[in-house]
Amino acid sequence: MSRSELSVSRWLEAHTDRGAGLTTLPRNAILTDIVGNGDYHLVITDLKLDNDTKSRLKVYKGTLMTHDQALSNTPNSVISFYADLNEPRIPVVGVACGSELFLYKNLKPFYKCKVPSCPLSEQESELWKTLMEKQDFNSEDIIKELKKIPFSLLSSRSQHILNLESPLKIEEYIRKYINSMPTKENVITCMSTIEKTTHDKYSVNCPIIGTEFGNIYILDPQNFSILHQANTCNVKATPFIIECSGLYDIEFRIIVACREGYICILRKGWLEGKSLIQITNDIVDMVLIPGDNFITVATADKGLHCYTKRGQKLWSATTTNSITCLCLVPLDHINMYMVAVGMKNGLIHLYHGRHLTDFTVAPDTPSVIVFGPVGQEENVMVIVTMGGTISFKILKRTADFSNRNHESVPVLQGKPLPLPKRSKLFLEQSLRERQSAVEIHQTFQQDLLRLRLTTARALVQNLSDQSGVGNEKENIKLSAQVLGLGPKFTVILTLENINPNKVLTGLSVTFHSNPIFYTLTTYIITVPLIPPSLSYKMETRVQETMSETSSETSVAELEPAGVKVIRVFVTRYDHPRPILAATINMPPTEFMV
Amino acid sequence: MGLFQKLVSFLGVGRKEVNVLVVGLNNSGKSTVVNNFKSDDDKVTDIVPTVGFSVERFQKQNLAFTAFDMSGHGRYRDLWEHYYKDCHGIIFVIDSSDRLRLVVVKEELDLLLQHPDICQKKIPILFFANKMDCKEALSSVKIAAALGLDKIMDKPWHISASNALTGEGLQEGVEWLTQQIRELLSVKN
């Protein structure tokens, strides 16, 4: 049985459709019981960013797309929640497009609510008011006026004017809209839901909306009026992921990830959120682990970080590839929560806490991962990739995530370093360092200079001595060996190419000796090509001339030390100067008695 | 069948008790299939998801069947293997309209075939490609190919498309199963 085999994947490849052509973003796919009969469907938005095609809302029943309808604007996120207790329990699907939230029941639109628009800045409203009154204007003056106001604070109409090129077009545009005041749309950037009174699969949920200007709205699930309104943070922060825990009626925490790198917390009754964590890198995705309420954040530098609900960092891990999305994988039957981490190139890692417990592979980089029930199956992972592929993976019933394999994963962080206790010696030393810092530093500098001097001296010494041993510039090394007792000797020369990359060519070895003492078999040897890091051996036979006269007459020609020598020169064909020269001290012939 | 045996079976002397196991994923129609085999007075009108398992008895061609109608829900599938030991035949019901879970069916079938109590024995397996009336239903040939049934060499198997609501295709399948079990028993005797 494959139950205990770890090599076998825990996931069944149920279905992959490479031709689905879906373009979607995180938080744009949900699994919900759309008809209310326990058959879970995938509701997903298909983004079309061209001007002439509209984005679509698609519904998959199992592996088949059963529903496809156009959306009025580019969707931002999709939620589903139970709005009432009426039987049969049919959830409401909410799709945020621009500053509007469209609500569907049974896949039919039934309500639209609009986020209140922002007040215009004083200067801008003044400008438009005067325009309305006068009905006459100079477009250049208007441009000048508008440019005084920060671009991000302008209404979209004024922004559009600044982006227009020709003054003619500007005039035409202003004429068209001169009789109405512009509005500053508060675009929805993210959504979530929070349970109202009970923790339950079918409990009533309130939608939560985050907007471009940092407002958080909690809506009433029945009439969609604003129950509570708050700001994300005391500084300018644009929320882009909202996660929440708790119950709206009792106590709740809303964790908001902002584009500026803040993670803010908002609790019941607060009118303004508090910055909990500040991350220097860009936040890619965030999930809240139920139970402990740990915040798991993926950053753009391949980092996966986990914080407690109070903002203390618990652990960090580095993934192999850049993270594109996260997804909570709750496994109710074994009471375990995991986080699926989708990465570039299609790898999906599953983390349980800081431990990497499992992995699976998508056809290419996943853009959205959702996990939950699909149709009759409970544990299904749906992956939509950047390439538009939709892929369904089913977790095996026999999948075993027990702790056994955790031991093999090294614990990277968490444990403090095993620092020894501060001893008396350490304290004295640190005290001394503090008291006489200048002297210690000067002594250190002196020693350092001395060390450098010694090194330089040794180098000079070496360079002057080394002529016979090797040539660093040419990267060759020569060694000689004299075999024999005499009067016949064999000299073995080894020429080594030290350069690991380049070959040695065009070398020859010349022997030089006093012909009175020695006769050699060869005086010039042509060295063939020596490959990098290899050596070439050559030998020559030496015969000592044993004439009586020579030993007497040529005493003056002996080397100062009184030894006979043979000189070796390594030369390059085209160079008159030898690149290496060495002197071989020949041993005196030991006469047999 | 000899004249004597015919006589014996006519008199009902040779009636045998056989156990069959009805397995398959949840919502595939196992209880509905079993309900169809029962005599008219025992039939139930409302079929609810089985919890654990239920035991049903019915007769076919002088064989007294005891059907163990197992629950197909994920958390009850562990129970199946406890009944492998004493069964004479297996009825595997497949929802042919559920394309998504065909891999799950294959996984469960492989687990069943690899079980030590099953892989040693020559148990006939009857597959019902149920819900053939659904519009997105796969044909029995396609299902057989998807499940790799052609690789089952050591056991007799048969697949028939069925509609458990109307009873279509069920008789044909169960007749095959009865014949197989009869042959098996006669070999043993």
Side-chain angles (χ1 to χ4, degrees):
Chain A
M1 304 249 301
S2 61
R3 191 166 295 201
S4 57
E5 283 173 31
L6 286 170
S7 54
V8 177
S9 174
R10 298 184 176 94
W11 300 87
L12 295 168
E13 300 292 330
H15 179 74
T16 300
D17 182 7
R18 285 176 191 272
L22 291 167
T23 315
T24 189
L25 291 168
R27 291 164 289 283
N28 272 275
I30 47 164
L31 297 169
T32 183
D33 178 15
I34 210 156
V35 199
N37 61 357
D39 192 5
Y40 279 75
H41 292 48
L42 170 71
V43 181
I44 196 164
T45 60
D46 190 7
L47 295 173
K48 294 279 180 285
L49 299 170
D50 312 336
N51 280 330
D52 47 341
T53 47
K54 280 193 168 169
S55 299
R56 308 194 73 86
L57 183 70
K58 292 181 174 176
V59 177
Y60 279 79
K61 179 183 190 288
T63 57
L64 296 167
M65 189 170 69
T66 53
H67 192 88
D68 183 6
Q69 68 184 68
L71 291 166
S72 63
N73 204 337
T74 311
N76 168 273
S77 55
V78 181
I79 50 169
S80 107
F81 57 95
Y82 290 99
D84 49 41
L85 296 164
N86 299 344
E87 291 287 342
R89 303 302 303 277
I90 296 171
V92 173
V93 173
V95 184
C97 295
S99 62
E100 285 156 340
L101 172 61
F102 294 91
L103 295 149
Y104 297 81
K105 205 163 187 175
N106 265 327
L107 287 171
K108 289 179 188 74
F110 80 99
Y111 198 80
K112 177 178 97 171
C113 55
K114 198 169 187 314
V115 174
S117 52
C118 274
L120 290 176
S121 66
E122 264 180 45
Q123 288 161 294
E124 196 185 353
S125 59
E126 200 85 345
L127 184 83
W128 283 96
K129 247 179 222 163
T130 44
L131 271 178
M132 268 164 82
E133 282 160 14
K134 281 203 287 184
Q135 293 287 323
D136 179 46
F137 59 89
N138 179 350
S139 54
E140 272 173 35
D141 288 348
I142 289 173
I143 296 274
K144 219 177 270 172
E145 282 294 315
L146 286 176
K147 278 191 176 162
K148 283 180 192 164
I149 310 164
F151 190 77
S152 59
L153 298 179
L154 288 173
S155 67
S156 56
R157 189 193 294 180
S158 307
Q159 285 178 344
H160 189 82
I161 291 172
L162 287 177
N163 284 334
L164 285 173
E165 281 159 11
S166 69
L168 218 82
K169 270 190 184 166
I170 294 172
E171 207 175 311
E172 191 186 336
Y173 189 82
I174 296 172
R175 284 242 178 273
K176 201 168 158 192
Y177 295 107
I178 199 160
N179 289 322
S180 65
M181 283 295 279
T183 49
K184 206 157 101 184
E185 298 286 336
N186 203 352
V187 175
I188 299 173
T189 53
C190 51
M191 285 199 296
S192 184
T193 56
I194 185 165
E195 284 158 327
K196 198 163 187 295
T197 44
T198 51
H199 284 301
D200 178 9
K201 196 176 167 189
Y202 295 106
S203 62
V204 173
N205 275 246
C206 304
I208 306 176
I209 293 173
T211 67
E212 185 70 37
F213 294 103
N215 305 104
I216 304 278
Y217 298 101
I218 302 176
L219 305 184
D220 186 282
Q222 242 123 53
N223 56 17
F224 304 103
S225 59
I226 294 166
L227 285 176
H228 187 78
Q229 179 181 353
N231 284 330
T232 308
C233 195
N234 52 1
V235 290
K236 194 201 170 289
T238 311
F240 84 107
I241 305 167
I242 295 183
E243 292 281 334
C244 37
S245 65
L247 296 171
Y248 176 75
D249 285 347
I250 299 157
E251 174 62 59
F252 62 86
R253 305 161 163 268
I254 299 175
I255 309 287
V256 187
C258 303
R259 281 183 205 147
E260 289 80 2
Y262 300 106
I263 291 177
C264 303
I265 182 168
L266 195 71
R267 299 179 72 164
K268 188 178 168 74
W270 290 11
L271 292 174
E272 191 170 75
K274 248 185 11 192
S275 170
L276 197 65
I277 308 158
Q278 205 175 344
I279 293 169
T280 45
N281 243 297
D282 286 340
I283 299 171
V284 175
D285 210 339
M286 175 181 82
V287 290
L288 202 62
I289 317 275
D292 303 319
N293 287 335
F294 288 163
I295 306 163
T296 306
V297 183
T299 53
D301 60 336
K302 304 181 186 177
L304 192 67
H305 311 283
C306 183
Y307 299 89
T308 63
K309 57 184 175 184
R310 292 190 178 81
Q312 287 135 347
K313 192 174 200 163
L314 282 177
W315 53 268
S316 279
T318 312
T319 53
T320 47
N321 286 326
S322 328
I323 302 171
T324 54
C325 54
L326 297 181
C327 172
L328 184 73
V329 177
L331 298 175
D332 293 333
H333 60 290
I334 47 174
N335 203 10
M336 193 166 157
Y337 293 103
M338 294 202 290
V339 177
V341 182
M343 290 180 282
K344 278 234 167 82
N345 302 336
L347 201 60
I348 297 166
H349 279 174
L350 282 116
Y351 280 84
H352 179 230
R354 82 185 61 157
H355 303 289
L356 176 62
T357 44
D358 194 17
F359 74 97
T360 180
V361 184
D364 60 310
T365 309
S367 58
V368 182
I369 303 173
V370 273
F371 183 88
V374 174
Q376 296 289 329
E377 193 61 35
E378 268 168 17
N379 301 317
V380 185
M381 185 188 274
V382 185
I383 304 152
V384 179
T385 67
M386 303 258 182
T389 307
I390 187 164
S391 168
F392 293 81
K393 287 171 192 286
I394 298 176
L395 186 70
K396 281 184 190 171
R397 177 175 63 91
T398 50
D400 182 15
F401 289 102
S402 60
N403 291 327
R404 182 158 35 88
N405 47 339
H406 282 183
E407 281 135 29
S408 60
V409 182
V411 178
L412 288 175
Q413 265 142 24
K415 268 189 190 167
L417 289 171
L419 289 173
K421 271 196 170 175
R422 276 189 287 182
S423 65
K424 203 179 160 196
L425 186 74
F426 172 80
L427 290 173
E428 278 171 10
Q429 172 69 11
S430 58
L431 195 71
R432 200 171 67 83
E433 277 172 5
R434 237 173 290 154
Q435 278 171 351
S436 46
V438 179
E439 288 95 87
I440 289 174
H441 180 70
Q442 279 171 352
T443 322
F444 169 74
Q445 287 294 329
Q446 271 176 16
D447 283 348
L448 187 67
L449 283 174
R450 239 174 243 145
L451 177 72
R452 281 179 183 157
L453 184 66
T454 323
T455 319
R457 266 193 197 136
L459 180 69
V460 169
Q461 176 88 25
N462 237 356
L463 285 175
S464 51
D465 287 358
Q466 286 260 317
S467 57
V469 180
N471 185 336
E472 284 296 320
K473 260 186 210 159
E474 294 285 339
N475 280 318
I476 57 170
K477 216 166 125 185
L478 181 73
S479 57
Q481 207 179 355
V482 182
L483 303 177
L485 299 168
K488 284 184 177 170
F489 299 98
T490 304
V491 175
I492 298 173
L493 287 180
T494 313
L495 201 58
E496 195 183 340
N497 182 1
I498 334 174
N499 195 329
N501 301 319
K502 270 172 73 179
V503 293
L504 274 177
T505 48
L507 295 179
S508 61
V509 175
T510 315
F511 293 92
H512 175 259
S513 66
N514 194 331
I516 301 169
F517 302 135
Y518 295 111
T519 344
L520 277 71
T521 48
T522 43
Y523 286 90
I524 292 176
I525 302 171
T526 318
V527 182
L529 179 142
I530 307 176
S533 317
L534 288 179
S535 55
Y536 178 68
K537 259 186 195 172
M538 54 216 130
E539 58 174 62
T540 178
R541 283 166 205 279
V542 180
Q543 168 79 48
E544 191 169 354
T545 45
M546 301 301 277
S547 62
E548 285 297 311
T549 50
S550 67
S551 58
E552 282 167 18
T553 53
S554 59
V555 173
E557 305 216 358
L558 283 174
E559 289 290 303
V563 283
K564 299 169 183 173
V565 296
I566 296 176
R567 292 199 174 82
V568 183
F569 304 102
V570 181
T571 48
R572 219 171 262 275
Y573 286 146
D574 47 351
H575 262 269
R577 247 181 83 181
I579 52 170
L580 209 137
T583 313
I584 305 168
N585 294 331
M586 296 300 286
T589 304
E590 285 170 33
F591 293 103
M592 300 284 181
V593 184
Chain B
M1 206 179 274
L3 185 70
F4 176 71
Q5 272 179 318
K6 252 185 190 167
L7 194 70
V8 166
S9 64
F10 178 73
L11 294 170
V13 181
R15 182 187 288 175
K16 296 269 164 51
E17 289 269 340
V18 289
N19 297 332
V20 290
L21 201 59
V22 186
V23 292
L25 303 190
N26 50 327
N27 200 35
S28 58
K30 294 173 296 301
S31 300
T32 319
V33 166
V34 173
N35 193 40
N36 241 297
F37 294 144
K38 289 193 282 193
S39 58
D40 283 337
D41 0 318
D42 293 343
K43 274 186 183 146
V44 285
T45 47
D46 263 357
I47 289 171
V48 290
T50 311
V51 175
F53 71 98
S54 64
V55 183
E56 306 287 352
R57 283 170 217 284
F58 58 90
Q59 292 204 7
K60 276 269 152 11
Q61 301 176 353
N62 275 329
L63 279 184
F65 279 91
T66 306
F68 291 90
D69 178 15
M70 308 303 297
S71 169
H73 200 281
R75 60 171 162 268
Y76 295 120
R77 281 179 220 159
D78 284 334
L79 292 177
W80 295 2
E81 60 189 40
H82 298 294
Y83 297 87
Y84 291 165
K85 213 161 198 156
D86 320 310
C87 72
H88 299 92
I90 291 174
I91 298 175
F92 203 111
V93 186
I94 303 152
D95 177 356
S96 48
S97 66
D98 195 350
R99 287 157 194 251
L100 181 73
R101 291 208 296 168
L102 215 54
V103 277
V104 184
V105 175
K106 182 165 169 46
E107 170 77 7
E108 294 297 345
L109 178 64
D110 289 346
L111 284 176
L112 182 146
L113 292 173
Q114 286 160 15
H115 194 274
D117 288 343
I118 297 280
C119 69
Q120 305 297 335
K121 289 199 280 185
K122 198 177 172 236
I123 298 176
I125 306 175
L126 170 63
F127 295 93
F128 278 125
N130 202 17
K131 307 196 187 181
M132 61 187 253
D133 53 313
C134 281
K135 92 168 167 273
E136 60 265 46
L138 292 163
S139 69
S140 58
V141 179
K142 275 187 184 161
I143 287 176
L147 297 182
L149 297 186
D150 46 357
K151 293 192 186 73
I152 306 175
M153 299 295 188
D154 53 344
K155 292 178 186 58
W157 60 268
H158 179 81
I159 185 162
S160 64
S162 68
N163 177 0
L165 290 175
T166 59
E168 222 178 319
L170 294 180
Q171 285 312 320
E172 174 217 333
V174 91
E175 267 165 27
W176 174 86
L177 187 70
T178 322
Q179 202 191 332
Q180 288 294 328
I181 294 175
R182 218 183 263 285
E183 273 176 26
L184 213 70
L185 289 176
S186 62
V187 169
K188 266 188 193 166
N189 293 338

